[in-house]
Amino acid sequence: MRQANIFYNTVYCGLLTETNDGDYTFQYDNDYINNYPEQFITFTMPVSDTVYRDKRLFSFFEGLIPEGWLLNIASKSWKINPNDRMGLLLACCKNCIGAVSVEPKINSDEE
């Protein structure tokens, strides 16, 4: 299982998870829901306590991953398969253009 902390500007807004079965979930943080109820990261995921689920990486997060020659450079530099979308997201999207950033979550059992 791989996870990413998702930030809107500098505010932690939720947790993205790739399960061991290859499914994806995204859940907004409760503090974020209470303090920023109208500040969604994408129209397709309004702020709520709903756990969003999909069999593929959500299209919003797919859109953060580099494309073309930049994807080739990132894939070769970090030795990440171009089909490993979560791996590319974790490696490449900490300093994205725009308000949303992605930081790998370090699980307590990995520390």
Side-chain angles (χ1 to χ4, degrees):
M1 177 170 63
R2 296 185 286 184
Q3 296 182 307
N5 293 317
I6 307 301
F7 293 85
Y8 190 93
N9 291 321
T10 59
V11 178
Y12 174 71
C13 68
L15 183 67
L16 175 66
T17 302
E18 178 188 43
T19 68
N20 292 332
D21 295 327
D23 294 338
Y24 295 88
T25 64
F26 175 75
Q27 184 169 17
Y28 283 100
D29 180 68
N30 287 331
D31 288 339
Y32 191 84
I33 293 168
N34 294 329
N35 295 320
Y36 305 96
E38 301 299 320
Q39 193 168 293
F40 49 84
I41 61 170
T42 177
F43 286 108
T44 59
M45 296 173 146
V47 177
S48 82
D49 58 1
T50 301
V51 177
Y52 295 96
R53 299 177 190 281
D54 206 326
K55 299 248 179 240
R56 300 184 59 198
L57 184 60
F58 302 98
S59 58
F60 173 78
F61 294 110
E62 277 280 348
L64 298 177
I65 297 170
E67 298 176 328
W69 63 270
L70 193 53
L71 172 60
N72 292 337
I73 291 170
S75 178
K76 288 177 184 172
S77 295
W78 285 303
K79 296 178 177 41
I80 300 172
N81 184 319
N83 295 323
D84 180 2
R85 307 310 283 174
M86 186 69 165
L88 288 165
L89 185 74
L90 293 170
C92 301
C93 298
K94 183 173 183 176
N95 295 314
C96 293
I97 294 174
V100 176
S101 59
V102 178
E103 292 187 10
K105 181 177 188 323
I106 299 172
N107 295 325
S108 59
D109 57 332
E110 294 177 4
E111 295 180 353

